[in-house]
Amino acid sequence: MGAPGAVLFVCRHNAIRSPMAAALARAAFPKIYSRSAGVDGGQPDPFAAEVMSEKGLDISQRRPRLMAELADTGFDLVVTLAPEAHHHVLDLARTQSFDVEYWPTLDPSSTQGSRAQILESYRACRDALDVAIRKRLAG
C-alpha cells in the first residue's frame, strides 16, 4: 500500500479522534491532503484541544463537521475510527471510489476519574493515532 494523496479520517462526532488524526497527519505528512468528518453532530472537545496543544498542534478553533458537509470528496483513503463511522463509510464506498480502512480507536471521552486520568486517556488516544498514521501514510 502506497501513501495516499488525500485521506479522510471519520469518527462518530468529529470532535476527538478524527480531528486529532487529521491534525497529526497534516503535521507529519504536509503533502498529503488530510481532513476529518463525523457521521453525527458533535461539539468541540477541550480535552482534545489540550492534548494536541502539547504537541504544538492547535485544534481549539475547529468546529465538528458532518460528512454530508464536505465539499471535497476526492479522497484516496478513508480511515474510520469508530464502528458507526465504518458502517456509514462502507455504504458510501458502494458508489464512490476510495479505499476504506478501519482503525478501531477507543473513545477517550468515556474515561471516568480525575482530570489527570482523563487527560492520560486522551494522550493515549493521540499517541496511538500518531503511531498508526506514521506507519500507514509513510507509504
Side-chain angles (χ1 to χ4, degrees):
M1 290 184 277
V7 62
L8 175 65
F9 295 94
V10 183
C11 66
R12 186 166 180 198
H13 296 290
N14 190 225
I16 301 169
R17 294 167 286 184
S18 58
M20 288 197 306
L24 290 163
R26 282 191 297 273
F29 301 95
K31 292 184 179 181
I32 296 175
Y33 181 76
S34 301
R35 293 293 178 263
S36 70
V39 295
D40 295 325
Q43 296 297 318
D45 188 292
F47 290 119
E50 184 171 341
V51 299
M52 292 302 285
S53 71
E54 295 171 356
K55 294 291 185 182
L57 301 172
D58 184 5
I59 64 168
S60 64
Q61 299 303 310
R62 71 164 305 285
R63 296 290 169 248
R65 68 176 152 207
L66 297 171
M67 284 194 65
E69 297 172 15
L70 291 175
D72 44 3
T73 58
F75 296 97
D76 304 310
L77 174 63
V78 177
V79 175
T80 60
L81 304 170
E84 305 89 349
H86 191 64
H87 296 298
H88 183 82
V89 169
L90 286 178
D91 284 342
L92 292 176
R94 290 185 215 162
T95 60
Q96 298 182 28
S97 177
F98 52 77
D99 291 330
V100 179
E101 293 180 13
Y102 177 45
W103 298 357
T105 307
L106 292 177
D107 181 356
S109 68
S110 63
T111 301
Q112 300 292 311
S114 68
R115 176 179 172 75
Q117 291 169 317
I118 293 168
L119 284 170
E120 270 311 304
S121 179
Y122 276 74
R123 286 182 191 109
C125 178
R126 175 202 63 203
D127 295 347
L129 286 169
D130 195 34
V131 168
I133 288 163
R134 289 176 186 279
K135 182 178 177 182
R136 174 58 179 91
L137 299 187

